[in-house]
Amino acid sequence: MPKNPKSRGGRTAGGPRATARTAAKPAAARPAAAAPTGTLPSERRDHLVSLSAELFAEKGFRATTVREIADAAGILSGSLYHHFSSKESIADEILSKFLNEVLTDYRAALASGGTPREVLETIARTGFSSLERHRAAIMMLQNDWNYFREQPRFDYLQKTLAEVERIWIGELKRGVKDGTFRADLDAKLTYRLFRDTIWVAVRWYRPGGRLSTKQLADQFSRILFEGVIA
Amino acid sequence: MPKNPKSRGGRTAGGPRATARTAAKPAAARPAAAAPTGTLPSERRDHLVSLSAELFAEKGFRATTVREIADAAGILSGSLYHHFSSKESIADEILSKFLNEVLTDYRAALASGGTPREVLETIARTGFSSLERHRAAIMMLQNDWNYFREQPRFDYLQKTLAEVERIWIGELKRGVKDGTFRADLDAKLTYRLFRDTIWVAVRWYRPGGRLSTKQLADQFSRILFEGVIA
Amino acid sequence: MPKNPKSRGGRTAGGPRATARTAAKPAAARPAAAAPTGTLPSERRDHLVSLSAELFAEKGFRATTVREIADAAGILSGSLYHHFSSKESIADEILSKFLNEVLTDYRAALASGGTPREVLETIARTGFSSLERHRAAIMMLQNDWNYFREQPRFDYLQKTLAEVERIWIGELKRGVKDGTFRADLDAKLTYRLFRDTIWVAVRWYRPGGRLSTKQLADQFSRILFEGVIA
Amino acid sequence: MPKNPKSRGGRTAGGPRATARTAAKPAAARPAAAAPTGTLPSERRDHLVSLSAELFAEKGFRATTVREIADAAGILSGSLYHHFSSKESIADEILSKFLNEVLTDYRAALASGGTPREVLETIARTGFSSLERHRAAIMMLQNDWNYFREQPRFDYLQKTLAEVERIWIGELKRGVKDGTFRADLDAKLTYRLFRDTIWVAVRWYRPGGRLSTKQLADQFSRILFEGVIA
DNA sequence: AATGAATGAGGCTTCATTCAT
DNA sequence: TATGAATGAAGCCTCATTCAT
């Protein structure tokens, strides 16, 4: 007899919180992802999140109406609220899944003990490879950042991004100190260049297109690390 | 969409049509002009456009309501329609001004007859320098691209962007052929990397901040052309 | 309103029909009984009614959602419909039980053959004492009267209240005639004053508080019958 | 040039705040009442508040839909938001007007320096006389108390009611001490009896009915102060 | 040029109820 | 008896736009 049989929307506090996950990089196929606290990951629900993600990626979060999501699922818009407490909670689910993974990936790369260039290249590569699995999240972070930024519920976005920045800048500075990178490198600027370069690619990257994410990563890494000059 | 699309005010159909513009930037940099009294009609109008641009840059085009614009101008939202036929027409004004300038700059760079690296560096630099003057336009192009893309009225955006791409790719290929650039460069990918790198900076670049657009351009150009490796 | 009004469970049409009730109060005071397992069907049902009553008393009938009731019972809202045909039918059960008792009490008082003051004081005292057992019903009658009043299903409310009024006014007039009460008493007004005084107390009266219903009845009876003047 | 031409809804903080009003009792005809801060009391707006008040009085605040209000006004429901920022803000306007007046009346009665009985009788009489002008507010306070109580916006309701209680209890105790009232009077209980008696009358009192509020006040005052016994 | 009032379409959300399993 | 999923009607509110004055 469930005391709270309908924890509509599931995750309440949202965001990447020390999800006890082993160091082993489990980045790939995790079909339904570590079920957020208190959420019984029903297949129906997961399906709805998927559909929503696709729409959010295509049109943006704000520009997507709950009616469109419901239409895509073949139900009435009100019925969505049987599964989620709000449109935001769907976004939350999509975004926190991504950010959790980002954090895990970054920390694993750091923990690997490589050189700055190795660490950053690993990070960059996992970044590119997430373009496929987390297209919607990355898209939303870019298109609707203004919206999410202002909602307390999504504070974790900024917190996670701050840690991401810390890691990048740390490695960049380490690389400058040990002579790997140019001495005149502005760490913050370079971080932004890399981060944006990777994530903005979500705008035009299409899975199954001319280039795989691996090829993408190769080309971009080479340019960013070694420049375009022959 | 206006039922009775009046063409009150200036440009109706919008878009970069050979607007004979000399190199001197005409109407630009009038940052936030205090509420004008007894101003010329066109000055009032320009003021409104510039207020709108600021809001669009800060919150996005769709996310900005006409009431917010009107509030900023100290009038009622309905009164805006004495100056513009629609919210879109304000966007149009902002976007087409920018795209006209882009085209002019690109063509001028091409016409200069420099080496591929010189041409592209010039283009990149003018791109960075436009972050200040055209912050709103660049922001809108990124945040609300999905919206503008689908409206026939804004077809010119895609046309202009296509020409921009043609120029970049042309120069990149020329540079590969003459040995300036790496032989393994994917021209399209590289073009996107450069373009996005420049324009996405609008997200965090703030005029009057730590770095001038010139310093920005220096750092970025160096990384993109020569890489981060020492 | 149910499309197919089933009469699942007990009373269908509701209302105080000579339910032969002895003086002993039968089903009362079962404050909040821990979730019963292996209970008889009717006990389960009674439990649900009593949970509902508590919620109705606290928040009002309309303001209480079936989900809140279901949550309190540890089931899903849809499951309630195995016990009751509608939310109204729960209200019906609560209200008719109360009104039946009121009628019984009033008639018993009348039948006792006392003086007008004795009859009315008895009635007033049973009124106060019902504040505990019928808190929900009295609350609903006040907060949601507008709602119940308009539903044919609850016509019995008005009928019962009309009889209550008849009895009060009858005794008041009898008391005026025999010189017990002031000659200038407006019977209808006085009836309303007494009735409201008693029932409105449900708003602030809390069982187990500073005063028992008996003390309440003593104070109020004294004021109403004898005034506050020393 | 108004900086904030549309302070939709006007009163922001709501409630009876030391509205600089002279001691002179100006209770009666104050057509548009001390214009809440920043509200230009347009006639249209006042009319809409009136219409709303009538509906709120008849059906309750929650039970009245914005559509009903709009229908009554012959406009679309969305158009209401040109005048008010929310349904609550209409309630706020109605309630705070009433509570402001209550406070003024109570303080004036206190300031008159009469005996406890005189003060309380004055208060009671102004209470009855407000049944006409403030029917909606009193009704809402009773029917939708549960709703308003929980909204921070309406905190002032509880504050005002607390002061009302303080005044009543003060006078009652003063009257007990000086021998005017019975020694065994429970001040709090008596206060409630009086308060409820007056305000609950709004349920059945109809202006223009058999009795004027003055007659009502006479009858009730006599009963409450002197009892019903001859 | 503006105001003040309104429109009409659409957005998110709630809720009593139904029903197959 | 429950669950899980859905319905359908309705509720409050937003917003670009129109228009008489």
Side-chain angles (χ1 to χ4, degrees):
Chain A
M1 236 173 295
K3 240 293 113 90
N4 252 321
K6 279 258 84 88
S7 66
R8 291 152 101 221
R11 341 185 36 274
T12 329
R17 274 152 321 223
T19 327
R21 292 228 267 117
T22 53
K25 192 130 53 77
R30 203 187 313 105
T37 336
T39 305
L40 23 158
S42 85
E43 276 182 42
R44 187 81 182 101
R45 187 189 164 87
D46 284 351
H47 180 230
L48 292 171
V49 172
S50 278
L51 284 177
S52 304
E54 246 162 85
L55 288 164
F56 292 161
E58 230 54 59
K59 326 191 29 169
F61 173 76
R62 266 120 123 201
T64 302
T65 70
V66 293
R67 209 119 60 198
E68 285 167 331
I69 299 173
D71 282 354
I75 58 178
L76 291 180
S77 66
S79 304
L80 276 178
Y81 290 78
H82 177 64
H83 302 277
F84 308 97
S85 61
S86 67
K87 196 183 154 191
E88 268 84 18
S89 79
I90 308 182
D92 199 349
E93 209 136 318
I94 295 167
L95 290 173
S96 63
K97 204 174 288 181
F98 170 58
L99 289 185
N100 267 322
E101 197 172 311
V102 164
L103 233 38
T104 308
D105 290 344
Y106 272 58
R107 286 171 182 163
L110 256 192
S112 73
T115 64
R117 174 160 182 186
E118 283 165 356
V119 168
L120 293 183
E121 229 179 302
T122 300
I123 283 177
R125 277 171 198 289
T126 62
F128 280 113
S129 84
S130 70
L131 289 184
E132 273 177 274
R133 234 169 28 290
H134 294 291
R135 189 160 153 261
I138 300 174
M139 207 80 175
M140 288 156 75
L141 248 20
Q142 291 184 57
N143 284 336
D144 297 291
W145 176 251
N146 276 325
Y147 177 76
F148 294 124
R149 183 192 14 172
E150 286 179 354
Q151 300 200 231
R153 155 172 220 162
F154 289 103
D155 276 354
Y156 68 88
L157 295 178
Q158 299 189 69
K159 276 182 200 137
T160 305
L161 261 18
E163 175 154 1
V164 160
E165 174 169 347
R166 235 177 293 123
I167 293 177
W168 268 98
I169 291 191
E171 291 305 291
L172 283 168
K173 288 195 167 155
R174 198 159 65 95
V176 167
K177 203 177 273 168
D178 75 7
T180 308
F181 301 141
R182 299 170 183 286
D184 67 342
L185 218 59
D186 182 310
K188 190 150 192 174
L189 226 56
T190 309
Y191 148 66
R192 280 172 174 151
L193 169 58
F194 274 74
R195 179 200 59 183
D196 291 346
T197 294
I198 296 170
W199 284 347
V200 98
V202 84
R203 288 256 172 81
W204 46 263
Y205 178 75
R206 285 295 167 277
R210 184 166 61 90
L211 295 168
S212 66
T213 52
K214 187 177 175 325
Q215 289 170 296
L216 227 191
D218 287 341
Q219 280 277 340
F220 273 27
S221 292
R222 220 175 151 198
I223 295 178
L224 292 170
F225 285 103
E226 302 171 25
V228 297
I229 306 297
Chain B
M1 252 169 292
K3 259 189 185 132
N4 178 20
K6 331 172 204 175
S7 60
R8 255 171 315 186
R11 349 182 26 276
T12 326
R17 274 149 319 220
T19 326
R21 285 217 306 99
T22 53
K25 288 112 195 169
R30 201 186 312 105
T37 17
T39 47
L40 291 169
S42 90
E43 278 187 42
R44 183 91 180 97
R45 186 190 163 82
D46 285 351
H47 178 65
L48 291 172
V49 172
S50 123
L51 284 176
S52 303
E54 245 164 88
L55 287 164
F56 293 161
E58 230 53 60
K59 327 191 27 170
F61 173 75
R62 267 119 123 200
T64 301
T65 69
V66 292
R67 193 156 61 216
E68 284 167 331
I69 299 172
D71 281 356
I75 58 178
L76 291 181
S77 63
S79 306
L80 277 178
Y81 290 79
H82 286 288
H83 302 277
F84 308 97
S85 62
S86 69
K87 196 182 156 193
E88 268 82 19
S89 78
I90 307 182
D92 199 350
E93 209 135 320
I94 294 166
L95 290 173
S96 63
K97 199 175 291 179
F98 170 58
L99 289 184
N100 270 323
E101 195 172 314
V102 165
L103 234 36
T104 309
D105 290 343
Y106 272 56
R107 287 172 180 160
L110 255 192
S112 74
T115 65
R117 175 163 183 182
E118 283 166 356
V119 170
L120 293 183
E121 229 179 302
T122 302
I123 283 178
R125 278 173 198 289
T126 60
F128 280 112
S129 84
S130 70
L131 288 183
E132 270 177 279
R133 235 171 28 283
H134 294 291
R135 192 161 151 255
I138 300 174
M139 206 77 174
M140 289 157 74
L141 248 19
Q142 290 185 58
N143 283 337
D144 299 291
W145 176 251
N146 277 323
Y147 177 76
F148 295 123
R149 183 193 16 176
E150 287 176 354
Q151 301 197 229
R153 155 170 223 166
F154 289 102
D155 276 353
Y156 68 87
L157 296 178
Q158 300 190 66
K159 278 184 200 133
T160 306
L161 261 17
E163 175 154 2
V164 161
E165 175 170 343
R166 234 175 294 122
I167 294 178
W168 267 97
I169 291 191
E171 291 305 290
L172 283 168
K173 287 196 169 154
R174 197 158 64 95
V176 167
K177 204 177 272 167
D178 74 8
T180 310
F181 301 142
R182 296 170 185 288
D184 65 344
L185 218 59
D186 183 309
K188 188 150 193 175
L189 227 54
T190 307
Y191 149 64
R192 280 170 175 152
L193 169 56
F194 273 74
R195 178 200 58 186
D196 291 345
T197 294
I198 297 170
W199 284 347
V200 97
V202 84
R203 288 255 172 80
W204 47 262
Y205 179 76
R206 287 293 167 278
R210 185 167 60 91
L211 296 167
S212 67
T213 52
K214 184 173 178 331
Q215 290 172 295
L216 229 191
D218 288 341
Q219 280 275 341
F220 274 26
S221 293
R222 200 147 178 225
I223 294 178
L224 292 171
F225 285 104
E226 301 171 27
V228 296
I229 306 297
Chain C
M1 255 172 289
K3 259 192 185 131
N4 177 20
K6 328 173 207 173
S7 59
R8 258 169 313 186
R11 346 184 26 277
T12 325
R17 273 151 320 221
T19 326
R21 285 214 310 97
T22 54
K25 289 104 187 176
R30 201 187 312 105
T37 17
T39 48
L40 292 169
S42 89
E43 279 187 40
R44 183 92 179 96
R45 188 189 161 83
D46 285 352
H47 178 65
L48 291 172
V49 171
S50 122
L51 284 176
S52 304
E54 245 163 88
L55 288 164
F56 293 161
E58 230 53 58
K59 326 188 31 169
F61 173 74
R62 265 119 122 201
T64 302
T65 68
V66 292
R67 195 157 59 216
E68 284 167 332
I69 300 172
D71 281 356
I75 58 177
L76 291 182
S77 63
S79 306
L80 275 178
Y81 290 78
H82 286 287
H83 302 277
F84 308 97
S85 62
S86 70
K87 196 182 155 192
E88 268 83 18
S89 77
I90 308 181
D92 199 349
E93 209 137 319
I94 294 167
L95 290 173
S96 63
K97 201 174 290 177
F98 170 58
L99 289 185
N100 269 323
E101 197 172 312
V102 164
L103 233 36
T104 308
D105 290 344
Y106 272 57
R107 287 171 180 162
L110 255 192
S112 74
T115 65
R117 174 162 182 183
E118 282 166 355
V119 169
L120 292 182
E121 228 178 302
T122 300
I123 282 178
R125 278 176 197 288
T126 60
F128 279 113
S129 84
S130 70
L131 288 184
E132 270 177 278
R133 235 169 31 280
H134 294 291
R135 192 162 151 256
I138 300 174
M139 205 79 175
M140 289 156 73
L141 248 20
Q142 290 185 58
N143 283 338
D144 299 291
W145 176 250
N146 277 322
Y147 177 75
F148 295 124
R149 182 190 20 172
E150 287 176 353
Q151 300 198 230
R153 152 171 226 165
F154 289 102
D155 277 353
Y156 68 89
L157 297 178
Q158 300 190 67
K159 279 185 198 133
T160 306
L161 261 19
E163 175 153 2
V164 160
E165 173 168 347
R166 234 176 294 124
I167 294 177
W168 267 98
I169 291 191
E171 292 304 291
L172 283 168
K173 287 195 168 156
R174 197 158 65 95
V176 168
K177 202 176 275 166
D178 74 9
T180 309
F181 302 142
R182 300 168 182 288
D184 66 343
L185 219 58
D186 182 310
K188 189 151 192 174
L189 226 54
T190 308
Y191 149 65
R192 279 172 176 151
L193 170 56
F194 274 74
R195 179 199 59 185
D196 291 346
T197 293
I198 297 170
W199 284 348
V200 98
V202 83
R203 288 259 171 78
W204 47 263
Y205 179 74
R206 285 294 168 277
R210 184 164 62 91
L211 295 167
S212 66
T213 51
K214 188 178 175 326
Q215 289 172 295
L216 228 190
D218 286 343
Q219 280 275 340
F220 273 27
S221 291
R222 218 176 152 196
I223 295 177
L224 293 170
F225 284 104
E226 302 171 26
V228 297
I229 306 297
Chain D
M1 240 174 290
K3 234 313 101 93
N4 252 322
K6 276 259 84 85
S7 67
R8 293 152 98 221
R11 339 185 40 272
T12 330
R17 274 150 320 222
T19 327
R21 293 226 270 116
T22 53
K25 193 132 51 79
R30 204 185 312 107
T37 338
T39 305
L40 23 158
S42 84
E43 275 182 44
R44 187 79 182 102
R45 186 189 165 87
D46 284 351
H47 180 230
L48 291 172
V49 172
S50 278
L51 284 178
S52 304
E54 246 163 85
L55 287 164
F56 293 161
E58 231 52 60
K59 326 192 25 169
F61 173 75
R62 265 121 124 200
T64 302
T65 69
V66 292
R67 208 118 62 198
E68 285 167 332
I69 299 173
D71 282 354
I75 57 177
L76 290 180
S77 67
S79 305
L80 276 178
Y81 291 80
H82 177 64
H83 303 277
F84 307 98
S85 61
S86 66
K87 196 183 151 190
E88 267 83 20
S89 78
I90 307 182
D92 199 349
E93 208 136 320
I94 295 167
L95 290 173
S96 64
K97 203 174 290 180
F98 170 58
L99 290 185
N100 267 324
E101 197 172 311
V102 164
L103 232 38
T104 308
D105 290 345
Y106 272 58
R107 287 173 181 161
L110 255 192
S112 74
T115 66
R117 174 162 183 182
E118 283 166 355
V119 169
L120 293 183
E121 231 181 299
T122 301
I123 283 178
R125 276 171 199 291
T126 61
F128 279 113
S129 84
S130 71
L131 288 184
E132 273 178 273
R133 234 172 26 289
H134 294 291
R135 189 162 153 259
I138 300 174
M139 206 78 175
M140 289 156 75
L141 247 21
Q142 291 184 57
N143 284 336
D144 298 290
W145 176 250
N146 277 323
Y147 177 76
F148 294 124
R149 183 195 11 173
E150 288 179 352
Q151 299 199 230
R153 156 171 220 164
F154 290 103
D155 276 353
Y156 68 88
L157 296 178
Q158 299 190 68
K159 276 183 201 137
T160 306
L161 261 17
E163 174 152 3
V164 161
E165 174 169 345
R166 233 176 296 123
I167 294 176
W168 267 98
I169 290 190
E171 291 305 290
L172 282 168
K173 287 196 169 155
R174 197 156 67 94
V176 167
K177 203 178 271 167
D178 74 8
T180 309
F181 301 143
R182 296 171 185 287
D184 66 343
L185 218 60
D186 183 309
K188 189 150 192 175
L189 226 54
T190 308
Y191 149 65
R192 280 172 175 151
L193 169 56
F194 274 75
R195 177 201 59 186
D196 291 345
T197 293
I198 297 170
W199 284 347
V200 98
V202 84
R203 288 256 172 81
W204 48 262
Y205 179 75
R206 285 295 167 278
R210 184 166 60 91
L211 295 168
S212 66
T213 52
K214 187 177 175 327
Q215 291 171 294
L216 228 191
D218 287 341
Q219 280 277 339
F220 274 26
S221 292
R222 207 155 169 217
I223 295 178
L224 292 171
F225 284 104
E226 301 172 27
V228 297
I229 306 296

